[in-house]
Amino acid sequence: MSFEDLNLHTSILKAVHEAGYTTPTPIQQQAIPELIAGQDVMACAQTGTGKTAAFMLPALHLLATPAQIRCRGPRILVLTPTRELALQVSDAAKKYGKFLPRINVVSILGGMPYPLQNKLLSQPVDILVATPGRLIDHIQRGRIDFRRLQMLVLDEADRMLDMGFIDDVETIAAATPNTRQTLLFSATLDNAIDKVAAKLLKLPKRIQVASHKTKLENIEQRLHYADDMSHKNRLLDHVLRDEKLKQAIVFTATKRDADTLADNLHAQGFAAAALHGDMNQRERNRTLTRLRNGGLRVLVATDVAARGIDIAAITHVINFDLPKFAEDYVHRIGRTGRAGAAGVAVSFASIKDSIHLSKIERYTGQRIVSHIIPGLEPRIKPRFNNNGSRNTPNVTQKRKRSPFSGYSGRASFSAINNGLNGNRNEQRSRPFSHDDRNGSFRNRSASSAGHQFARTK
Ligand code: AMP
């Protein structure tokens, strides 16, 4: 199937060709005809599958026909969980709509000054891309006229649910005309998403493309056991010096760790900077622009900030700390291997992370093979032998000093032993649980800060 077969407006086809796309991706092939036919759609598709164009091209196609109602309000509304994703969607709208006459795209995001947003909203808007919280503020102040709204897109609806935005989403949807077409995109379609869809969509067409289990094929996943923080830092230094590494995102568990690690890397001569939710929007944009322009080689980020980043030169993703949720692991490593390119995802784990690693592997359906770098061997034996058989985590006996001496004073032998056995305390406090009914991970208490797993600092 070619883009011509999708019956899109010629100006949109021109922009698609200019973007270098030759064939629609599976989600585009399935969703675009349904959307052009006016159907509500709920689609299970992750970032990297071409989902943004899957909804943006039909949205622009709608705009190629003049509005029936004359007013300044948006004709298309896209809600996203994060500011970064919203900016990316806005960029995509501008890119694909560049040959259509006068398409006005406005982003309304938290952290931006109100006077500027008021000014943007006082002009005619075609496509409004917004994060829910800030949009609600403007709706309550009567600044948005939704009378001519034709399409509502909920992008990464699972994430909006996780982040507690779903009530806001429902309030926003209630402020829009009942005649609208509604699209829901989500990385997973589970019971919670079904409930949202039942409230907001009309007889939606359900579309599912390759799940997380098959999506990671072009990404090589490696595991390095780290004995302690100093060992982790040495491993990181080694990985960052790999000649094949063009650009990397290093994920830490907390915003403070992101700042500290970025400062340390900068001091060691790496072009590195941090990206996290405590930075204001201007700082975040500046950092992302540097990354896009190649001015940064290493971005040290937290989960929320890095979501949606789509930069082809990111060859490596490094989990300095493992993510709290298995689905975040998939989102993180999906920052590399964009649009079918090869990518490398490296995870550092301590002996205490074994159970957590197994959960990630169960979710992805793939094993993360442990690697050893000569000279940086862990004292812990890897879980897997070279022949792939599973090892119980253990401690090598070769070294003279105590196998646990690398851990901080607080980490007693019994604490480590608890780690070997799954650390009961850790299990109790972990918000990471597997919902066997639908095979997805649940509890989404969504606090992004804090170490979920005992750190060996
Ligand atoms: P997304 O899933 O929307 O985050 O898109 C992932 C990447 O795929 C983006 O860099 C898009 O520019 C790119 N892309 C989208 N559609 C196509 C296509 N049909 N052919 C090639 N690349 C595409």
Side-chain angles (χ1 to χ4, degrees), residues 14-15 57 168 232 247 291 318 372 379 405 424 451 454:
K14 192 171 167 196
L57 302 182
D168 287 350
K232 253 193 197 185
Q247 286 185 305
L291 189 69
I318 300 158
I372 289 181
R379 290 189 299 276
S405 60
R424 269 166 284 141
H451 289 257

Side-chain angles (χ1 to χ4, degrees), residues 3 21-25 28 46-53 88 95-96 310 338-339:
F3 276 102
Y21 307 167
T22 49
T23 317
T25 64
Q28 292 162 2
Q46 312 205 341
T47 48
T49 55
K51 72 176 169 64
T52 314
Q88 221 156 287
K95 179 161 101 179
Y96 305 137
D310 176 18
R338 304 298 289 169

Side-chain angles (χ1 to χ4, degrees), residues 66-321:
Q68 302 286 325
I69 299 172
R70 287 176 71 85
C71 74
R72 281 179 323 204
R75 295 177 65 189
I76 311 288
L77 171 62
V78 184
L79 297 179
T80 71
T82 65
R83 296 180 275 190
E84 278 70 24
L85 184 60
L87 291 174
Q88 221 156 287
V89 170
S90 304
D91 287 347
K94 289 173 198 160
K95 179 161 101 179
Y96 305 137
K98 68 192 275 194
F99 297 116
L100 285 168
R102 291 184 306 282
I103 297 293
N104 194 15
V105 183
V106 168
S107 312
I108 294 294
L109 318 170
M112 266 167 65
Y114 277 92
L116 172 68
Q117 295 185 338
N118 296 343
K119 194 169 158 222
L120 290 171
L121 291 172
S122 67
Q123 293 153 15
V125 182
D126 295 300
I127 301 180
L128 181 59
V129 186
T131 49
R134 180 58 68 92
L135 186 64
I136 290 255
D137 285 355
H138 286 286
I139 293 174
Q140 284 167 350
R141 288 167 206 212
R143 295 221 171 84
I144 305 177
D145 183 346
F146 280 127
R147 273 178 304 152
R148 65 171 188 167
L149 191 100
Q150 290 167 273
M151 184 186 275
L152 169 64
V153 183
L154 312 178
D155 195 8
E156 298 199 353
D158 53 333
R159 198 63 178 180
M160 293 202 271
L161 197 67
D162 288 350
M163 293 168 83
F165 290 159
I166 218 66
D167 289 346
D168 287 350
V169 169
E170 287 176 10
T171 307
I172 293 166
T176 65
N178 218 1
T179 49
R180 66 165 196 266
Q181 186 179 9
T182 312
L183 288 53
L184 181 152
F185 285 79
S186 175
T188 48
L189 293 183
D190 56 19
N191 293 343
I193 291 290
D194 278 345
K195 276 189 197 149
V196 176
K199 280 191 205 164
L200 303 182
L201 280 70
K202 290 187 210 86
L203 301 174
K205 173 91 187 168
R206 239 179 130 96
I207 295 174
Q208 181 117 20
V209 294
S211 76
H212 50 262
K213 292 199 194 274
T214 53
K215 206 193 125 261
L216 307 172
E217 274 160 5
N218 54 333
I219 301 171
E220 184 197 338
Q221 301 175 63
R222 298 180 194 157
L223 175 69
H224 289 292
Y225 275 106
D227 297 324
D228 51 27
M229 193 50 76
S230 140
H231 190 198
K232 253 193 197 185
N233 282 322
R234 280 179 286 131
L235 286 166
L236 178 64
D237 184 79
H238 179 92
V239 175
L240 292 180
R241 288 181 196 284
D242 183 344
E243 278 173 8
K244 294 196 192 100
L245 185 148
K246 285 194 196 139
Q247 286 185 305
I249 303 185
V250 180
F251 283 95
T252 60
T254 70
K255 299 167 195 168
R256 187 139 46 97
D257 289 346
D259 276 333
T260 310
L261 188 56
D263 286 348
N264 290 346
L265 291 173
H266 187 71
Q268 287 162 37
F270 291 105
L275 185 80
H276 55 68
D278 275 355
M279 292 160 62
N280 68 39
Q281 193 59 42
R282 196 165 346 138
E283 288 171 323
R284 285 162 77 162
N285 290 346
R286 205 185 305 136
T287 304
L288 282 173
T289 304
R290 281 180 69 201
L291 189 69
R292 272 199 193 95
N293 297 344
L296 272 185
R297 188 157 173 261
V298 185
L299 183 76
V300 187
T302 55
D303 282 302
V304 168
R307 212 175 157 86
I309 291 179
D310 176 18
I311 297 174
I314 295 174
T315 50
H316 288 61
V317 164
I318 300 158
N319 291 313
F320 192 79
D321 296 309

